[in-house]
Amino acid sequence: DQQVKQNSPSLSVQEGRISILNCDYTNSMFDYFLWYKKYPAEGPTFLISISSIKDKNEDGRFTVFLNKSAKHLSLHIVPSQPGDSAVYFCAASAQAGNNRKLIWGLGTSLAVNP
Amino acid sequence: DGGITQSPKYLFRKEGQNVTLSCEQNLNHDAMYWYRQDPGQGLRLIYYSQIVNDFQKGDIAEGYSVSREKKESFPLTVTSAQKNPTAFYLCASSRDRGHNQPQHFGDGTRLSIL
């Protein structure tokens, strides 16, 4: 059962416009959320995170929004650039005993067209 | 520069053969992780280690083994018991596993069966 869902496998956006990547989760115990970006044949690179006590976190062109009541978060990229073309993974973290467990979504492939 | 180094980038294995994937980090991180990524799937946790000489099974540990004799190194052995070893393997590290913080990834090793 997928606890972290990225329902759009792919997204295509025009350069300069906004990219919105969505992520839904089912476990209300998740209290920390992360977005990673991955190019082919490379490891994921951390982009931005948000704690469940916040509803928005911004870092340059990247903003993550969290709606806890809807169990939904989104990543906004403004303005989108061709170099943003990659697979974006959403991940959610919850405390499990003495450890934190990180659950990953399946990813959304973003294509930014010049 | 600090980072995580995985080697080799590509690895080929014959049926019935064990192979070891290398992962080294110079970030002074306590926690290290091994993930497996298959096409169309998210990252699945194989093993993790919170500290030297300690490691725990993740969600798909069967057919794999690890060691953590040094803080900097966390090699993964894919044994002949792993029936479907062809995948992209990613190593990651974080400062520790008990708090909210991002994991940093290497560039992966792609393992194929000859």
Coordinates of all heavy atoms in Angstrom, one line a residue, chain A residues 26-114:
Chain A
T26 N -1.0 9.2 3.2 CA -2.1 8.6 4.0 C -1.8 8.5 5.5 O -2.8 8.4 6.3 CB -2.4 7.2 3.4 OG1 -1.2 6.4 3.5 CG2 -2.9 7.2 2.0
N27 N -0.6 8.5 5.9 CA -0.2 8.3 7.3 C -0.2 9.6 8.0 O 0.7 10.5 7.8 CB 1.1 7.6 7.4 CG 1.5 7.2 8.8 OD1 0.9 7.6 9.7 ND2 2.5 6.3 8.9
S28 N -1.1 9.8 9.0 CA -1.1 11.1 9.7 C 0.0 11.3 10.7 O 0.2 12.3 11.2 CB -2.4 11.2 10.5 OG -2.6 10.1 11.4
M29 N 0.8 10.2 10.8 CA 2.0 10.3 11.7 C 3.2 11.0 11.0 O 4.2 11.3 11.7 CB 2.4 8.9 12.2 CG 1.4 8.2 13.0 SD 0.9 9.2 14.5 CE 2.4 9.1 15.4
F30 N 3.2 11.1 9.7 CA 4.2 11.8 9.0 C 4.3 13.2 9.5 O 3.3 14.0 9.6 CB 4.0 11.8 7.5 CG 4.2 10.5 6.8 CD1 3.3 10.1 5.8 CD2 5.2 9.6 7.2 CE1 3.4 8.9 5.2 CE2 5.3 8.4 6.5 CZ 4.4 8.0 5.5
D31 N 5.6 13.7 9.9 CA 5.7 15.0 10.4 C 6.8 15.8 9.7 O 7.1 16.9 10.1 CB 5.9 15.0 11.9 CG 7.2 14.2 12.3 OD1 7.9 13.7 11.4 OD2 7.4 14.0 13.5
Y32 N 7.4 15.2 8.7 CA 8.5 15.9 8.0 C 8.4 15.5 6.5 O 8.3 14.2 6.3 CB 9.8 15.6 8.7 CG 11.0 16.3 8.1 CD1 11.1 17.7 8.2 CD2 12.1 15.6 7.6 CE1 12.2 18.3 7.7 CE2 13.2 16.2 7.1 CZ 13.3 17.6 7.1 OH 14.4 18.2 6.7
F33 N 8.5 16.4 5.6 CA 8.3 16.1 4.2 C 9.5 16.7 3.4 O 9.9 17.8 3.7 CB 7.0 16.6 3.7 CG 5.8 16.1 4.5 CD1 5.4 16.8 5.6 CD2 5.2 14.9 4.1 CE1 4.3 16.3 6.4 CE2 4.1 14.5 4.9 CZ 3.7 15.2 6.0
L34 N 9.9 15.9 2.4 CA 11.1 16.4 1.6 C 10.8 16.2 0.1 O 10.0 15.3 -0.3 CB 12.3 15.6 2.0 CG 12.7 15.4 3.4 CD1 12.1 14.2 4.0 CD2 14.2 15.4 3.6
W35 N 11.4 17.1 -0.6 CA 11.4 16.9 -2.1 C 12.8 16.7 -2.6 O 13.7 17.5 -2.1 CB 10.8 18.1 -2.8 CG 9.3 18.2 -2.7 CD1 8.5 18.9 -1.8 CD2 8.4 17.6 -3.6 NE1 7.2 18.7 -2.0 CE2 7.1 17.9 -3.2 CE3 8.5 16.8 -4.7 CZ2 5.9 17.5 -3.8 CZ3 7.4 16.3 -5.4 CH2 6.1 16.7 -4.9
Y36 N 13.0 15.8 -3.5 CA 14.3 15.5 -4.1 C 14.1 15.6 -5.6 O 13.1 15.3 -6.2 CB 14.8 14.1 -3.7 CG 15.4 14.0 -2.4 CD1 14.5 13.8 -1.2 CD2 16.7 13.9 -2.2 CE1 15.1 13.7 0.0 CE2 17.3 13.8 -0.9 CZ 16.4 13.6 0.2 OH 17.0 13.5 1.4
K37 N 15.2 15.9 -6.2 CA 15.3 16.0 -7.7 C 16.3 15.0 -8.2 O 17.4 14.9 -7.6 CB 15.7 17.4 -8.1 CG 16.1 17.7 -9.5 CD 16.5 19.2 -9.6 CE 16.9 19.5 -11.0 NZ 17.3 21.0 -11.1
K38 N 16.0 14.3 -9.3 CA 16.9 13.3 -9.7 C 17.1 13.3 -11.2 O 16.1 13.2 -12.0 CB 16.4 11.9 -9.3 CG 17.4 10.7 -9.7 CD 16.8 9.4 -9.3 CE 17.8 8.3 -9.6 NZ 18.1 8.2 -11.1
Y39 N 18.4 13.4 -11.7 CA 18.7 13.3 -13.1 C 19.0 11.9 -13.4 O 19.4 11.1 -12.5 CB 19.9 14.2 -13.4 CG 19.7 15.7 -13.3 CD1 20.4 16.4 -12.4 CD2 18.7 16.3 -14.1 CE1 20.2 17.8 -12.3 CE2 18.5 17.7 -14.0 CZ 19.2 18.4 -13.1 OH 19.0 19.8 -13.0
P40 N 18.8 11.4 -14.7 CA 19.2 10.1 -15.0 C 20.6 9.7 -14.6 O 21.5 10.5 -14.8 CB 19.0 10.0 -16.6 CG 18.1 11.2 -16.8 CD 18.3 12.2 -15.8
A41 N 20.7 8.5 -14.2 CA 22.0 7.9 -13.8 C 22.8 8.7 -12.7 O 24.0 8.6 -12.6 CB 22.9 7.7 -15.0
E42 N 22.0 9.5 -11.9 CA 22.6 10.1 -10.8 C 21.8 9.9 -9.6 O 20.6 9.4 -9.6 CB 22.7 11.7 -11.0 CG 23.6 12.1 -12.1 CD 23.7 13.6 -12.2 OE1 23.2 14.3 -11.3 OE2 24.3 14.1 -13.2
G43 N 22.3 10.1 -8.4 CA 21.5 10.0 -7.2 C 20.6 11.2 -7.0 O 20.8 12.3 -7.5
P44 N 19.6 11.1 -6.2 CA 18.7 12.2 -5.9 C 19.4 13.3 -5.1 O 20.3 13.0 -4.3 CB 17.6 11.6 -5.0 CG 17.7 10.1 -5.2 CD 19.1 9.8 -5.5
T45 N 19.0 14.5 -5.4 CA 19.6 15.7 -4.7 C 18.5 16.3 -3.9 O 17.4 16.6 -4.4 CB 20.1 16.7 -5.8 OG1 21.1 16.0 -6.6 CG2 20.7 17.9 -5.1
F46 N 18.8 16.6 -2.6 CA 17.8 17.2 -1.8 C 17.5 18.6 -2.3 O 18.3 19.4 -2.6 CB 18.3 17.3 -0.3 CG 17.5 18.1 0.6 CD1 16.2 17.7 1.0 CD2 18.0 19.3 1.0 CE1 15.5 18.5 1.8 CE2 17.2 20.1 1.9 CZ 16.0 19.7 2.3
L47 N 16.2 19.0 -2.3 CA 15.7 20.3 -2.8 C 15.2 21.2 -1.6 O 15.7 22.3 -1.4 CB 14.6 20.1 -3.8 CG 14.9 20.1 -5.3 CD1 13.6 19.9 -6.0 CD2 15.6 21.3 -5.7
I48 N 14.2 20.7 -1.0 CA 13.5 21.5 0.0 C 12.7 20.6 0.9 O 12.3 19.5 0.5 CB 12.6 22.6 -0.6 CG1 12.2 23.6 0.3 CG2 11.5 21.9 -1.4 CD1 11.5 24.8 -0.3
S49 N 12.5 21.0 2.2 CA 11.7 20.2 3.1 C 10.8 21.1 3.9 O 10.8 22.4 3.8 CB 12.7 19.5 4.1 OG 13.4 20.5 4.9
I50 N 9.8 20.5 4.6 CA 8.9 21.2 5.4 C 8.5 20.4 6.6 O 8.3 19.1 6.4 CB 7.7 21.7 4.6 CG1 6.8 22.6 5.4 CG2 6.9 20.5 4.1 CD1 5.7 23.4 4.6
S51 N 8.4 21.0 7.7 CA 7.9 20.3 8.9 C 6.4 20.5 9.0 O 5.9 21.4 8.5 CB 8.6 21.0 10.1 OG 7.9 20.6 11.3
S52 N 5.8 19.5 9.7 CA 4.3 19.5 9.8 C 3.8 20.7 10.6 O 2.6 21.0 10.6 CB 3.8 18.2 10.4 OG 4.4 18.0 11.6
I53 N 4.7 21.4 11.3 CA 4.2 22.6 12.0 C 4.1 23.8 11.1 O 3.6 24.9 11.6 CB 5.1 22.9 13.2 CG1 6.5 23.2 12.8 CG2 5.1 21.7 14.2 CD1 7.4 23.7 14.0
K54 N 4.5 23.7 9.9 CA 4.4 24.8 9.0 C 3.5 24.5 7.8 O 3.2 23.3 7.6 CB 5.8 25.1 8.4 CG 6.8 25.6 9.4 CD 8.1 26.1 8.8 CE 9.0 26.8 9.7 NZ 10.3 27.2 9.1
D55 N 3.1 25.5 7.1 CA 2.3 25.2 5.9 C 3.0 25.7 4.6 O 2.5 25.5 3.5 CB 0.9 25.8 6.0 CG 0.9 27.3 6.3 OD1 1.9 27.9 6.1 OD2 -0.1 27.8 6.8
K56 N 4.1 26.3 4.8 CA 4.8 26.8 3.6 C 6.3 27.0 3.9 O 6.7 27.4 5.0 CB 4.2 28.2 3.2 CG 4.9 28.9 2.0 CD 4.3 30.2 1.8 CE 5.0 31.0 0.7 NZ 4.4 32.3 0.4
N57 N 7.1 26.6 3.0 CA 8.6 26.9 3.1 C 9.1 27.2 1.7 O 8.7 26.6 0.7 CB 9.3 25.6 3.6 CG 10.8 25.9 3.9 OD1 11.1 27.1 4.2 ND2 11.6 24.9 3.9
E58 N 9.9 28.3 1.7 CA 10.3 28.8 0.4 C 11.8 28.9 0.3 O 12.5 29.2 1.3 CB 9.7 30.3 0.2 CG 9.8 30.9 -1.1 CD 9.1 32.2 -1.2 OE1 8.3 32.5 -0.2 OE2 9.2 32.9 -2.2
D59 N 12.4 28.6 -0.8 CA 13.8 28.6 -1.0 C 14.1 29.0 -2.5 O 14.1 28.1 -3.4 CB 14.5 27.3 -0.7 CG 16.0 27.4 -0.8 OD1 16.6 28.5 -1.1 OD2 16.7 26.3 -0.6
G60 N 14.3 30.3 -2.7 CA 14.5 30.7 -4.1 C 13.3 30.5 -5.0 O 12.2 30.9 -4.7
R61 N 13.5 29.7 -6.1 CA 12.4 29.5 -7.0 C 11.5 28.4 -6.5 O 10.5 28.1 -7.2 CB 13.0 29.1 -8.4 CG 13.8 30.2 -9.1 CD 14.2 29.8 -10.5 NE 15.1 28.7 -10.5 CZ 14.7 27.5 -11.0 NH1 13.6 27.3 -11.6 NH2 15.6 26.5 -11.0
F62 N 11.9 27.7 -5.4 CA 11.1 26.5 -5.0 C 10.3 26.8 -3.7 O 10.9 27.4 -2.8 CB 12.1 25.4 -4.7 CG 12.9 25.0 -5.9 CD1 14.2 25.5 -6.1 CD2 12.5 24.0 -6.8 CE1 15.0 25.2 -7.2 CE2 13.2 23.7 -7.9 CZ 14.5 24.2 -8.1
T63 N 9.1 26.5 -3.7 CA 8.2 26.6 -2.6 C 7.4 25.3 -2.3 O 6.9 24.8 -3.3 CB 7.2 27.8 -2.8 OG1 7.9 29.0 -3.0 CG2 6.3 28.0 -1.5
V64 N 7.4 24.9 -1.1 CA 6.6 23.7 -0.8 C 5.5 24.2 0.1 O 5.6 25.0 1.0 CB 7.5 22.6 -0.1 CG1 8.2 23.1 1.1 CG2 6.6 21.4 0.2
F65 N 4.3 23.7 -0.2 CA 3.1 24.0 0.5 C 2.5 22.7 1.1 O 2.5 21.6 0.5 CB 2.0 24.5 -0.4 CG 2.3 25.9 -1.0 CD1 2.9 26.0 -2.2 CD2 2.0 27.0 -0.3 CE1 3.2 27.2 -2.8 CE2 2.3 28.3 -0.9 CZ 2.9 28.4 -2.1
L66 N 2.1 22.8 2.4 CA 1.6 21.6 3.1 C 0.2 21.9 3.6 O 0.0 22.9 4.3 CB 2.5 21.2 4.3 CG 2.0 20.1 5.2 CD1 2.0 18.8 4.4 CD2 2.9 19.9 6.4
N67 N -0.7 21.0 3.2 CA -2.1 21.1 3.7 C -2.4 19.8 4.5 O -2.7 18.7 3.9 CB -3.1 21.2 2.5 CG -4.5 21.3 2.9 OD1 -4.9 20.9 4.0 ND2 -5.3 21.8 2.1
K68 N -2.2 19.9 5.8 CA -2.3 18.7 6.7 C -3.7 18.1 6.7 O -3.9 16.9 6.7 CB -1.9 19.0 8.1 CG -0.4 19.1 8.2 CD 0.0 19.1 9.7 CE -0.5 20.3 10.4 NZ -0.1 20.3 11.9
S69 N -4.7 19.0 6.6 CA -6.1 18.4 6.7 C -6.4 17.6 5.5 O -7.1 16.6 5.5 CB -7.1 19.6 6.9 OG -7.0 20.4 5.8
A70 N -5.8 18.0 4.3 CA -6.0 17.2 3.1 C -4.9 16.2 2.9 O -5.0 15.4 1.9 CB -6.0 18.2 1.9
K71 N -3.9 16.1 3.8 CA -2.8 15.2 3.6 C -2.2 15.4 2.2 O -2.0 14.4 1.5 CB -3.2 13.8 3.9 CG -3.6 13.5 5.3 CD -3.7 12.0 5.6 CE -4.0 11.7 7.0 NZ -5.4 12.1 7.4
H72 N -1.9 16.6 1.9 CA -1.4 16.9 0.6 C -0.3 18.0 0.6 O -0.4 18.9 1.4 CB -2.6 17.5 -0.3 CG -2.2 18.0 -1.6 ND1 -2.1 17.1 -2.7 CD2 -1.8 19.2 -2.1 CE1 -1.7 17.8 -3.8 NE2 -1.6 19.1 -3.4
L73 N 0.7 17.7 -0.2 CA 1.7 18.8 -0.3 C 2.1 19.0 -1.8 O 1.8 18.1 -2.6 CB 3.0 18.5 0.5 CG 3.9 17.3 0.2 CD1 5.3 17.6 0.7 CD2 3.4 16.0 0.8
S74 N 2.6 20.1 -2.1 CA 2.9 20.5 -3.4 C 4.2 21.2 -3.5 O 4.6 21.9 -2.5 CB 1.8 21.2 -4.1 OG 1.6 22.5 -3.4
L75 N 4.9 21.1 -4.6 CA 6.2 21.8 -4.9 C 5.9 22.7 -6.1 O 5.5 22.3 -7.1 CB 7.3 20.8 -5.2 CG 8.6 21.5 -5.6 CD1 9.3 22.2 -4.5 CD2 9.6 20.4 -6.2
H76 N 6.1 24.0 -5.8 CA 6.0 25.0 -6.9 C 7.4 25.5 -7.3 O 8.2 25.8 -6.5 CB 5.2 26.2 -6.4 CG 3.7 25.9 -6.1 ND1 2.7 26.8 -6.3 CD2 3.1 24.7 -5.7 CE1 1.6 26.2 -6.0 NE2 1.8 25.0 -5.6
I77 N 7.6 25.5 -8.6 CA 8.8 26.0 -9.2 C 8.5 27.2 -10.1 O 7.7 27.0 -11.1 CB 9.6 24.9 -10.0 CG1 9.7 23.6 -9.2 CG2 10.9 25.4 -10.5 CD1 10.3 22.4 -10.0
V78 N 9.0 28.3 -9.7 CA 8.7 29.6 -10.5 C 9.9 30.5 -10.6 O 10.5 30.8 -9.5 CB 7.5 30.4 -9.8 CG1 7.2 31.6 -10.6 CG2 6.3 29.5 -9.6
P79 N 10.3 30.9 -11.7 CA 9.9 30.4 -13.0 C 10.6 29.1 -13.4 O 11.7 28.8 -13.0 CB 10.3 31.5 -14.0 CG 11.5 32.0 -13.4 CD 11.4 31.9 -11.9
S80 N 9.9 28.2 -14.1 CA 10.5 27.0 -14.5 C 11.6 27.2 -15.6 O 11.5 28.1 -16.5 CB 9.5 26.0 -15.1 OG 8.5 25.8 -14.2
Q81 N 12.7 26.4 -15.5 CA 13.8 26.5 -16.4 C 14.1 25.1 -17.0 O 13.8 24.1 -16.4 CB 15.1 27.0 -15.7 CG 14.9 28.4 -15.0 CD 16.1 28.7 -14.2 OE1 17.0 27.9 -13.9 NE2 16.1 30.0 -13.7
P82 N 14.6 25.1 -18.2 CA 14.9 23.8 -18.8 C 15.8 22.9 -18.0 O 15.6 21.6 -18.0 CB 15.7 24.2 -20.1 CG 15.1 25.5 -20.5 CD 14.9 26.2 -19.1
G83 N 16.7 23.4 -17.2 CA 17.5 22.7 -16.3 C 16.7 22.0 -15.1 O 17.3 21.1 -14.4
D84 N 15.5 22.4 -15.0 CA 14.7 21.8 -13.9 C 14.1 20.4 -14.4 O 13.5 19.7 -13.6 CB 13.5 22.7 -13.6 CG 13.9 24.0 -12.9 OD1 15.0 24.0 -12.2 OD2 13.2 25.0 -13.1
S85 N 14.3 20.1 -15.7 CA 13.8 18.9 -16.2 C 14.5 17.7 -15.5 O 15.7 17.5 -15.6 CB 14.0 18.8 -17.7 OG 13.3 19.8 -18.4
A86 N 13.7 16.9 -14.8 CA 14.2 15.8 -14.0 C 13.0 15.0 -13.4 O 11.9 15.4 -13.6 CB 15.1 16.4 -12.9
V87 N 13.3 14.0 -12.6 CA 12.3 13.3 -11.9 C 12.3 13.9 -10.5 O 13.4 14.0 -9.8 CB 12.5 11.8 -11.8 CG1 11.5 11.1 -11.0 CG2 12.5 11.2 -13.3
Y88 N 11.1 14.2 -9.9 CA 11.0 14.8 -8.6 C 10.3 13.8 -7.7 O 9.3 13.3 -8.0 CB 10.2 16.1 -8.7 CG 11.0 17.2 -9.3 CD1 11.1 17.3 -10.7 CD2 11.6 18.2 -8.5 CE1 11.8 18.3 -11.3 CE2 12.4 19.2 -9.1 CZ 12.5 19.2 -10.5 OH 13.2 20.2 -11.1
F89 N 11.0 13.5 -6.6 CA 10.5 12.5 -5.6 C 10.0 13.3 -4.4 O 10.7 14.2 -3.8 CB 11.5 11.5 -5.2 CG 11.9 10.5 -6.3 CD1 13.0 10.7 -7.1 CD2 11.1 9.4 -6.4 CE1 13.3 9.8 -8.1 CE2 11.4 8.5 -7.4 CZ 12.5 8.7 -8.2
C90 N 8.8 12.9 -3.9 CA 8.3 13.4 -2.6 C 8.6 12.3 -1.6 O 8.5 11.1 -1.9 CB 6.8 13.6 -2.8 SG 5.9 13.8 -1.3
A91 N 9.0 12.6 -0.4 CA 9.3 11.7 0.7 C 8.7 12.2 2.0 O 8.7 13.4 2.2 CB 10.8 11.4 0.8
A92 N 8.3 11.3 2.8 CA 7.7 11.6 4.1 C 8.3 10.8 5.2 O 8.6 9.7 5.0 CB 6.2 11.4 4.1
S93 N 8.5 11.5 6.3 CA 9.2 10.9 7.5 C 8.3 10.8 8.7 O 7.6 11.8 9.0 CB 10.4 11.7 7.7 OG 11.1 11.3 8.9
A94 N 8.4 9.7 9.5 CA 7.7 9.6 10.7 C 8.6 8.9 11.7 O 9.5 8.1 11.3 CB 6.4 8.8 10.5
Q95 N 8.4 9.2 13.0 CA 9.2 8.5 14.0 C 8.7 7.1 14.2 O 7.5 6.9 14.2 CB 9.0 9.3 15.3 CG 10.0 8.9 16.4 CD 11.4 9.4 16.1 OE1 11.6 10.4 15.5 NE2 12.4 8.7 16.7
A96 N 9.6 6.2 14.3 CA 9.3 4.8 14.5 C 10.2 4.2 15.5 O 11.4 3.8 15.2 CB 9.4 4.0 13.2
G97 N 9.8 4.3 16.8 CA 10.7 3.9 17.9 C 11.8 4.9 18.0 O 11.6 6.1 18.1
N98 N 13.0 4.4 18.0 CA 14.2 5.3 18.1 C 14.6 5.8 16.7 O 15.6 6.5 16.6 CB 15.4 4.5 18.7 CG 15.1 4.3 20.2 OD1 14.4 5.0 20.9 ND2 15.6 3.2 20.7
N99 N 14.0 5.4 15.7 CA 14.4 5.7 14.3 C 13.4 6.6 13.7 O 12.2 6.7 14.1 CB 14.6 4.4 13.5 CG 15.6 3.5 14.1 OD1 16.7 4.0 14.5 ND2 15.3 2.2 14.1
R100 N 13.8 7.1 12.6 CA 12.8 7.8 11.7 C 12.7 7.0 10.4 O 13.7 6.6 9.8 CB 13.3 9.2 11.4 CG 13.1 10.1 12.6 CD 13.2 11.6 12.4 NE 12.1 12.2 11.7 CZ 10.8 12.3 12.2 NH1 10.5 11.8 13.3 NH2 9.9 12.9 11.6
K101 N 11.5 6.7 10.0 CA 11.3 6.0 8.8 C 10.9 6.9 7.6 O 10.1 7.8 7.8 CB 10.2 5.0 9.0 CG 10.1 3.9 7.9 CD 9.1 2.8 8.3 CE 8.9 1.8 7.3 NZ 10.1 1.0 7.0
L102 N 11.6 6.8 6.5 CA 11.4 7.6 5.3 C 10.7 6.8 4.3 O 11.2 5.8 3.8 CB 12.7 8.2 4.9 CG 12.7 9.3 3.8 CD1 12.1 10.6 4.4 CD2 14.2 9.6 3.4
I103 N 9.6 7.3 3.8 CA 8.8 6.7 2.7 C 8.8 7.5 1.5 O 8.5 8.7 1.6 CB 7.3 6.4 3.2 CG1 7.3 5.7 4.5 CG2 6.6 5.6 2.1 CD1 7.9 4.3 4.5
W104 N 9.1 6.9 0.4 CA 9.2 7.6 -0.9 C 8.0 7.4 -1.8 O 7.5 6.4 -1.9 CB 10.5 7.2 -1.6 CG 11.7 7.4 -0.9 CD1 12.2 6.8 0.2 CD2 12.7 8.5 -1.1 NE1 13.4 7.3 0.6 CE2 13.7 8.4 -0.2 CE3 12.7 9.5 -2.1 CZ2 14.8 9.3 -0.2 CZ3 13.8 10.4 -2.1 CH2 14.8 10.2 -1.1
G105 N 7.7 8.5 -2.6 CA 6.8 8.4 -3.7 C 7.5 7.8 -4.9 O 8.7 7.6 -4.9
L106 N 6.7 7.6 -5.9 CA 7.2 6.9 -7.1 C 7.9 7.9 -8.1 O 8.5 7.6 -9.1 CB 6.2 6.2 -7.9 CG 5.5 5.0 -7.1 CD1 4.6 4.2 -8.0 CD2 6.5 4.1 -6.5
G107 N 7.7 9.2 -7.8 CA 8.3 10.2 -8.7 C 7.4 10.8 -9.7 O 6.5 10.1 -10.2
T108 N 7.7 12.0 -10.1 CA 7.0 12.7 -11.3 C 8.1 13.2 -12.2 O 9.0 13.9 -11.7 CB 6.1 13.9 -10.8 OG1 5.1 13.4 -10.0 CG2 5.5 14.6 -12.0
S109 N 8.0 12.9 -13.4 CA 9.0 13.3 -14.4 C 8.6 14.7 -15.0 O 7.5 14.8 -15.6 CB 9.1 12.3 -15.5 OG 10.1 12.8 -16.5
L110 N 9.4 15.7 -14.7 CA 9.0 17.1 -15.2 C 9.9 17.4 -16.4 O 11.1 17.2 -16.4 CB 9.3 18.1 -14.1 CG 9.2 19.6 -14.5 CD1 7.8 19.9 -14.8 CD2 9.8 20.5 -13.4
A111 N 9.2 17.8 -17.5 CA 9.9 18.3 -18.7 C 9.5 19.8 -18.8 O 8.4 20.2 -18.9 CB 9.4 17.5 -19.9
V112 N 10.6 20.6 -18.9 CA 10.4 22.1 -19.1 C 10.9 22.4 -20.5 O 12.1 22.2 -20.8 CB 11.2 22.9 -18.0 CG1 11.0 24.4 -18.3 CG2 10.8 22.5 -16.6
N113 N 10.0 22.8 -21.3 CA 10.2 23.0 -22.7 C 10.6 24.5 -23.0 O 10.0 25.4 -22.5 CB 9.0 22.7 -23.5 CG 8.5 21.3 -23.3 OD1 9.3 20.3 -23.3 ND2 7.2 21.1 -22.9
P114 N 11.7 24.6 -23.8 CA 12.2 26.0 -24.1 C 11.2 26.8 -24.9 O 10.4 26.2 -25.7 CB 13.5 25.8 -24.8 CG 13.9 24.4 -24.6 CD 12.6 23.6 -24.3

